[in-house]
Amino acid sequence: MGSLGRRWTIVGLGGLSCGMGALFWITALTSSVRDAAVSAAPQIRVRPSATLTPLLPSMLSGQAIDLPAAHLSPSDRKIFTQLRNRARTEDWTNLPIGMLTQRVGESFLGSPYQANLLDRASQNTSGQETLTASLQQFDCVLFIETALALEQIFQQPNLTYTQAETLFFKALQQYRYRNGTLGDYCSRLHYFSDWILDHNRRGLVQEMGRSLGGIPLNRSLSFMSQNWRKYPVLVASPTFRTCIAETEAAIDTKNVFYIPTQQISQHYSQLQPGDVVGIVTRMKELDVTHSGLVYQRLDANGTAQSSKTGLMHASVRSGIKISPDLATYVGNVDGAIGIVVARPLPLK
């Protein structure tokens, strides 16, 4: 744990709060970040292979495909099967994508938070990426990516178990890596702005800040390159330091729009369950320090039961939880100036 000025604490490492990159979490000193360590859950690993795009056509058309060299651990497989059975029983298939994403996220409420899951999957500093997931513990971005990948499966209830597991890994890869291509350390989407822009370009999400009347973020990102000594891979490899700096320079943040904190509640009626939210920091060299999913309490017909809109997210202190009012939550995050919003779209 290191410090950043007088009011901030860094827990872990990485380009973005809780999940992208090696893991970077900034939180106010007044928040509790001294939780007991969570024991590591079984990990899912996929050895790097050829690009897995396009994602769905060959699987859904019934054509033969090459399966990734990966399998869920027995405990994660049990959770995976239980979720698929629940999705069939409760007929999640025809839910709008946002409601389905929220339903998947709710399934993990109470699951513990664990930092550095991505980098713990690789025990060396070579910079070669390994596709990693856990269905038992999460950081904030892994929670989002896992929910998005799983909802793709639940839209296809007739897949065999092997097909569903394969689709999960492929979808996860699409959400985590630039152009959906698993490569080296620089192929991972370390900054949330990069995550939104890459996904928006590929039709995986719709950047919503512009249509909501947001303000262009328009800043130069440089946190990782400035603080490379905090990243084991960057310490070990000057090549990756150069690559990260080039990636930062290429992220066009003027095309990412944020909603100022004081205006968030005015847009509740325009937000939808399952929208992806990133909390924007005032730090000029960084974009987002935390993330989660828009949460709205719905009745059986999908009608909101409350005028409030919450945030479902992986909290350091409490694990997966629902903070009941998004604007209030963001207002209490030290250094936050607003939110960016991306709406998930069906993978094609």
Side-chain angles (χ1 to χ4, degrees):
M1 180 182 297
S3 63
L4 183 66
R6 297 175 57 189
R7 302 181 62 194
W8 301 93
T9 294
I10 300 176
V11 182
L13 303 168
L16 164 77
S17 133
C18 81
M20 297 194 181
L23 175 66
F24 175 63
W25 176 283
I26 300 179
T27 186
L29 287 171
T30 54
S31 298
S32 173
V33 293
R34 296 176 293 275
D35 304 79
V38 181
S39 59
Q43 300 297 306
I44 308 165
R45 296 188 180 186
V46 182
R47 285 298 174 193
S49 59
T51 303
L52 296 175
T53 52
L55 178 64
L56 296 178
S58 61
M59 173 174 288
L60 301 187
S61 65
Q63 299 174 15
I65 60 173
D66 294 328
L67 299 178
H71 301 283
L72 292 171
S73 68
S75 52
D76 279 337
R77 176 171 288 194
K78 181 178 180 180
I79 295 171
F80 190 76
T81 300
Q82 289 173 340
L83 285 172
R84 293 188 70 211
N85 290 339
R86 179 181 173 187
R88 291 193 194 97
T89 300
E90 298 180 6
D91 191 22
W92 291 1
T93 306
N94 296 316
L95 290 174
I97 185 171
M99 291 177 61
L100 178 53
T101 303
Q102 175 170 296
R103 191 71 57 87
V104 175
E106 288 176 308
S107 301
F108 294 109
L109 287 173
S111 298
Y113 176 93
Q114 179 61 58
N116 293 319
L117 284 172
L118 290 188
D119 286 349
R120 289 181 183 187
S122 177
Q123 299 302 315
N124 59 62
T125 56
S126 68
Q128 180 59 67
E129 284 287 297
T130 301
L131 184 58
T132 305
S134 169
L135 301 183
Q136 298 177 72
Q137 55 185 10
F138 307 89
D139 61 40
C140 66
V141 176
L142 298 191
F143 169 62
I144 292 171
E145 292 176 342
T146 302
L148 293 177
L150 285 172
E151 59 90 1
Q152 299 297 323
I153 297 162
F154 301 144
Q155 294 179 70
Q156 305 294 329
N158 296 322
L159 296 176
T160 67
Y161 178 88
T162 300
Q163 288 176 324
E165 187 178 46
T166 300
L167 177 56
F168 170 70
F169 288 128
K170 288 190 173 185
L172 196 63
Q173 178 170 315
Q174 293 296 308
Y175 288 117
R176 187 170 297 164
Y177 295 96
R178 186 171 295 101
N179 297 318
T181 303
L182 189 155
D184 61 24
Y185 187 73
C186 287
S187 71
R188 198 194 309 170
L189 296 164
H190 293 277
Y191 286 91
F192 207 78
S193 295
D194 203 10
W195 193 94
I196 290 177
L197 292 169
D198 177 85
H199 290 38
N200 186 75
R201 177 179 55 80
R202 292 193 285 134
L204 278 64
V205 305
Q206 178 183 357
E207 192 277 329
M208 297 297 298
R210 185 192 299 263
S211 63
L212 294 173
I215 300 170
L217 189 57
N218 198 22
R219 63 177 59 172
S220 298
L221 303 178
S222 59
F223 185 88
M224 292 182 71
S225 58
Q226 288 186 19
N227 297 275
W228 60 269
R229 291 180 179 83
K230 300 180 183 295
Y231 301 82
V233 170
L234 301 186
V235 169
S237 174
T239 299
F240 286 124
R241 296 204 294 270
T242 299
C243 177
I244 287 295
E246 291 173 348
T247 298
E248 291 169 336
I251 300 174
D252 191 2
T253 58
K254 69 175 180 292
N255 288 318
V256 177
F257 293 73
Y258 76 94
I259 303 168
T261 303
Q262 63 272 21
Q263 298 178 18
I264 292 174
S265 61
Q266 301 172 23
H267 297 284
Y268 280 175
S269 64
Q270 297 166 284
L271 298 178
Q272 294 181 7
D275 283 351
V276 177
V277 170
I279 299 178
V280 179
T281 177
R282 69 165 60 100
M283 294 174 60
K284 297 302 183 183
E285 68 274 20
L286 191 61
D287 50 0
V288 164
T289 58
H290 191 45
S291 58
L293 299 171
V294 166
Y295 180 83
Q296 294 177 344
R297 192 173 299 279
L298 307 172
D299 61 22
N301 297 318
T303 303
Q305 294 180 309
S306 170
S307 61
K308 288 188 176 182
T309 290
L311 181 71
M312 183 160 49
H313 58 119
S315 162
V316 173
R317 181 169 53 187
S318 307
I320 306 301
K321 61 176 289 187
I322 297 169
S323 295
D325 188 78
L326 175 60
T328 299
Y329 179 84
V330 175
N332 288 329
V333 174
D334 202 358
I337 61 172
I339 60 171
V340 291
V341 183
R343 181 158 297 162
L345 301 171
L347 294 183
K348 299 180 177 63

Short mmCIF file of all heavy atoms in Angstrom, two decimals, residues 169-194:
data_model
loop_
_atom_site.label_atom_id
_atom_site.label_comp_id
_atom_site.label_asym_id
_atom_site.label_seq_id
_atom_site.Cartn_x
_atom_site.Cartn_y
_atom_site.Cartn_z
N PHE A 169 -15.96 -17.90 -21.85
CA PHE A 169 -14.57 -17.49 -21.99
C PHE A 169 -14.38 -16.53 -23.16
O PHE A 169 -13.65 -15.55 -23.07
CB PHE A 169 -13.67 -18.71 -22.18
CG PHE A 169 -13.50 -19.53 -20.94
CD1 PHE A 169 -13.74 -20.90 -20.97
CD2 PHE A 169 -13.10 -18.96 -19.75
CE1 PHE A 169 -13.58 -21.67 -19.83
CE2 PHE A 169 -12.94 -19.72 -18.61
CZ PHE A 169 -13.18 -21.08 -18.64
N LYS A 170 -15.03 -16.83 -24.27
CA LYS A 170 -14.88 -15.97 -25.44
C LYS A 170 -15.47 -14.58 -25.18
O LYS A 170 -14.88 -13.56 -25.56
CB LYS A 170 -15.55 -16.61 -26.65
CG LYS A 170 -14.78 -17.81 -27.19
CD LYS A 170 -15.36 -18.25 -28.53
CE LYS A 170 -14.50 -19.34 -29.15
NZ LYS A 170 -14.97 -19.72 -30.51
N ALA A 171 -16.63 -14.54 -24.54
CA ALA A 171 -17.24 -13.24 -24.23
C ALA A 171 -16.37 -12.45 -23.27
O ALA A 171 -16.17 -11.24 -23.43
CB ALA A 171 -18.64 -13.45 -23.65
N LEU A 172 -15.84 -13.12 -22.27
CA LEU A 172 -14.97 -12.44 -21.31
C LEU A 172 -13.77 -11.84 -22.01
O LEU A 172 -13.36 -10.71 -21.72
CB LEU A 172 -14.52 -13.44 -20.24
CG LEU A 172 -13.93 -12.87 -18.96
CD1 LEU A 172 -14.95 -12.03 -18.21
CD2 LEU A 172 -13.41 -14.00 -18.07
N GLN A 173 -13.20 -12.57 -22.94
CA GLN A 173 -12.06 -12.05 -23.69
C GLN A 173 -12.45 -10.81 -24.49
O GLN A 173 -11.69 -9.85 -24.58
CB GLN A 173 -11.52 -13.13 -24.64
CG GLN A 173 -10.36 -12.66 -25.50
CD GLN A 173 -9.70 -13.80 -26.25
OE1 GLN A 173 -9.44 -14.85 -25.67
NE2 GLN A 173 -9.43 -13.61 -27.52
N GLN A 174 -13.64 -10.81 -25.07
CA GLN A 174 -14.10 -9.66 -25.84
C GLN A 174 -14.17 -8.41 -24.97
O GLN A 174 -13.84 -7.31 -25.42
CB GLN A 174 -15.47 -9.94 -26.45
CG GLN A 174 -15.49 -11.02 -27.50
CD GLN A 174 -14.68 -10.64 -28.72
OE1 GLN A 174 -14.87 -9.57 -29.28
NE2 GLN A 174 -13.76 -11.50 -29.11
N TYR A 175 -14.60 -8.57 -23.73
CA TYR A 175 -14.78 -7.41 -22.87
C TYR A 175 -13.47 -6.93 -22.23
O TYR A 175 -13.39 -5.78 -21.80
CB TYR A 175 -15.78 -7.74 -21.75
CG TYR A 175 -17.20 -7.84 -22.22
CD1 TYR A 175 -17.90 -9.04 -22.13
CD2 TYR A 175 -17.85 -6.74 -22.78
CE1 TYR A 175 -19.21 -9.14 -22.58
CE2 TYR A 175 -19.15 -6.83 -23.23
CZ TYR A 175 -19.83 -8.03 -23.13
OH TYR A 175 -21.13 -8.13 -23.58
N ARG A 176 -12.47 -7.76 -22.17
CA ARG A 176 -11.26 -7.40 -21.42
C ARG A 176 -10.13 -6.87 -22.28
O ARG A 176 -9.29 -6.11 -21.78
CB ARG A 176 -10.77 -8.62 -20.62
CG ARG A 176 -9.62 -8.32 -19.67
CD ARG A 176 -9.35 -9.48 -18.75
NE ARG A 176 -10.51 -9.74 -17.91
CZ ARG A 176 -10.69 -10.86 -17.22
NH1 ARG A 176 -9.80 -11.83 -17.30
NH2 ARG A 176 -11.77 -11.01 -16.46
N TYR A 177 -10.09 -7.25 -23.56
CA TYR A 177 -8.93 -6.96 -24.39
C TYR A 177 -9.27 -6.12 -25.61
O TYR A 177 -10.36 -6.25 -26.18
CB TYR A 177 -8.24 -8.25 -24.82
CG TYR A 177 -7.66 -9.00 -23.64
CD1 TYR A 177 -8.38 -10.03 -23.03
CD2 TYR A 177 -6.44 -8.62 -23.09
CE1 TYR A 177 -7.88 -10.69 -21.92
CE2 TYR A 177 -5.93 -9.28 -21.99
CZ TYR A 177 -6.65 -10.31 -21.40
OH TYR A 177 -6.14 -10.94 -20.29
N ARG A 178 -8.34 -5.29 -25.99
CA ARG A 178 -8.53 -4.42 -27.15
C ARG A 178 -8.80 -5.26 -28.39
O ARG A 178 -8.09 -6.21 -28.69
CB ARG A 178 -7.30 -3.54 -27.35
CG ARG A 178 -7.44 -2.48 -28.44
CD ARG A 178 -6.29 -1.51 -28.46
NE ARG A 178 -6.28 -0.71 -27.22
CZ ARG A 178 -5.49 -0.95 -26.18
NH1 ARG A 178 -4.61 -1.93 -26.24
NH2 ARG A 178 -5.54 -0.20 -25.09
N ASN A 179 -9.85 -4.90 -29.09
CA ASN A 179 -10.31 -5.63 -30.27
C ASN A 179 -10.67 -7.08 -29.96
O ASN A 179 -10.82 -7.91 -30.87
CB ASN A 179 -9.25 -5.61 -31.39
CG ASN A 179 -8.99 -4.21 -31.90
OD1 ASN A 179 -9.92 -3.43 -32.09
ND2 ASN A 179 -7.72 -3.87 -32.11
N GLY A 180 -10.81 -7.42 -28.69
CA GLY A 180 -11.15 -8.78 -28.31
C GLY A 180 -10.01 -9.76 -28.48
O GLY A 180 -10.22 -10.97 -28.42
N THR A 181 -8.80 -9.24 -28.64
CA THR A 181 -7.64 -10.09 -28.91
C THR A 181 -6.76 -10.22 -27.68
O THR A 181 -6.23 -9.22 -27.18
CB THR A 181 -6.80 -9.51 -30.07
OG1 THR A 181 -7.63 -9.38 -31.22
CG2 THR A 181 -5.64 -10.43 -30.39
N LEU A 182 -6.61 -11.43 -27.17
CA LEU A 182 -5.75 -11.68 -26.02
C LEU A 182 -4.31 -11.76 -26.49
O LEU A 182 -3.97 -12.62 -27.31
CB LEU A 182 -6.18 -12.97 -25.32
CG LEU A 182 -5.54 -13.29 -23.96
CD1 LEU A 182 -6.47 -14.18 -23.16
CD2 LEU A 182 -4.18 -13.95 -24.12
N GLY A 183 -3.48 -10.87 -25.97
CA GLY A 183 -2.08 -10.87 -26.34
C GLY A 183 -1.21 -10.65 -25.13
O GLY A 183 -1.30 -11.37 -24.15
N ASP A 184 -0.39 -9.61 -25.17
CA ASP A 184 0.48 -9.33 -24.05
C ASP A 184 -0.16 -8.29 -23.12
O ASP A 184 -1.34 -7.94 -23.26
CB ASP A 184 1.87 -8.88 -24.52
CG ASP A 184 1.82 -7.60 -25.37
OD1 ASP A 184 0.86 -6.81 -25.22
OD2 ASP A 184 2.75 -7.40 -26.17
N TYR A 185 0.63 -7.80 -22.20
CA TYR A 185 0.13 -6.88 -21.17
C TYR A 185 -0.55 -5.66 -21.76
O TYR A 185 -1.54 -5.15 -21.21
CB TYR A 185 1.33 -6.46 -20.31
CG TYR A 185 1.01 -5.63 -19.09
CD1 TYR A 185 0.40 -6.20 -17.98
CD2 TYR A 185 1.37 -4.29 -19.04
CE1 TYR A 185 0.15 -5.44 -16.84
CE2 TYR A 185 1.13 -3.52 -17.91
CZ TYR A 185 0.51 -4.10 -16.82
OH TYR A 185 0.27 -3.35 -15.70
N CYS A 186 -0.05 -5.17 -22.88
CA CYS A 186 -0.60 -3.97 -23.50
C CYS A 186 -1.91 -4.23 -24.23
O CYS A 186 -2.58 -3.28 -24.64
CB CYS A 186 0.42 -3.34 -24.45
SG CYS A 186 1.80 -2.54 -23.59
N SER A 187 -2.28 -5.48 -24.43
CA SER A 187 -3.55 -5.77 -25.10
C SER A 187 -4.74 -5.63 -24.16
O SER A 187 -5.88 -5.52 -24.60
CB SER A 187 -3.53 -7.19 -25.69
OG SER A 187 -3.59 -8.18 -24.67
N ARG A 188 -4.46 -5.61 -22.85
CA ARG A 188 -5.53 -5.45 -21.87
C ARG A 188 -5.96 -3.98 -21.83
O ARG A 188 -5.15 -3.08 -21.96
CB ARG A 188 -5.06 -5.88 -20.48
CG ARG A 188 -6.22 -6.16 -19.52
CD ARG A 188 -5.78 -6.24 -18.07
NE ARG A 188 -4.65 -7.13 -17.83
CZ ARG A 188 -4.01 -7.17 -16.68
NH1 ARG A 188 -4.36 -6.37 -15.68
NH2 ARG A 188 -2.99 -7.99 -16.51
N LEU A 189 -7.26 -3.75 -21.66
CA LEU A 189 -7.80 -2.39 -21.60
C LEU A 189 -7.63 -1.86 -20.17
O LEU A 189 -8.49 -2.05 -19.32
CB LEU A 189 -9.27 -2.38 -22.04
CG LEU A 189 -9.49 -2.78 -23.50
CD1 LEU A 189 -10.95 -3.15 -23.76
CD2 LEU A 189 -9.04 -1.67 -24.44
N HIS A 190 -6.52 -1.19 -19.92
CA HIS A 190 -6.15 -0.80 -18.56
C HIS A 190 -6.93 0.41 -18.06
O HIS A 190 -7.09 0.56 -16.85
CB HIS A 190 -4.66 -0.49 -18.50
CG HIS A 190 -3.77 -1.67 -18.71
ND1 HIS A 190 -3.45 -2.55 -17.70
CD2 HIS A 190 -3.15 -2.14 -19.82
CE1 HIS A 190 -2.66 -3.49 -18.17
NE2 HIS A 190 -2.45 -3.27 -19.45
N TYR A 191 -7.35 1.29 -18.94
CA TYR A 191 -8.07 2.50 -18.53
C TYR A 191 -9.54 2.38 -18.92
O TYR A 191 -9.89 1.86 -19.98
CB TYR A 191 -7.48 3.74 -19.23
CG TYR A 191 -6.14 4.18 -18.69
CD1 TYR A 191 -4.96 3.69 -19.25
CD2 TYR A 191 -6.06 5.10 -17.65
CE1 TYR A 191 -3.73 4.10 -18.77
CE2 TYR A 191 -4.82 5.52 -17.17
CZ TYR A 191 -3.67 5.02 -17.73
OH TYR A 191 -2.45 5.43 -17.25
N PHE A 192 -10.40 2.92 -18.07
CA PHE A 192 -11.84 2.80 -18.32
C PHE A 192 -12.25 3.55 -19.57
O PHE A 192 -13.14 3.12 -20.30
CB PHE A 192 -12.63 3.32 -17.11
CG PHE A 192 -13.98 2.68 -16.97
CD1 PHE A 192 -14.11 1.42 -16.44
CD2 PHE A 192 -15.13 3.36 -17.37
CE1 PHE A 192 -15.36 0.82 -16.31
CE2 PHE A 192 -16.37 2.77 -17.25
CZ PHE A 192 -16.49 1.50 -16.72
N SER A 193 -11.62 4.68 -19.85
CA SER A 193 -11.92 5.41 -21.09
C SER A 193 -11.61 4.54 -22.30
O SER A 193 -12.38 4.51 -23.27
CB SER A 193 -11.09 6.70 -21.16
OG SER A 193 -11.44 7.60 -20.14
N ASP A 194 -10.49 3.85 -22.25
CA ASP A 194 -10.11 2.94 -23.33
C ASP A 194 -11.13 1.82 -23.46
O ASP A 194 -11.50 1.41 -24.57
CB ASP A 194 -8.71 2.38 -23.04
CG ASP A 194 -7.99 1.90 -24.30
OD1 ASP A 194 -8.47 2.17 -25.41
OD2 ASP A 194 -6.94 1.26 -24.15
#
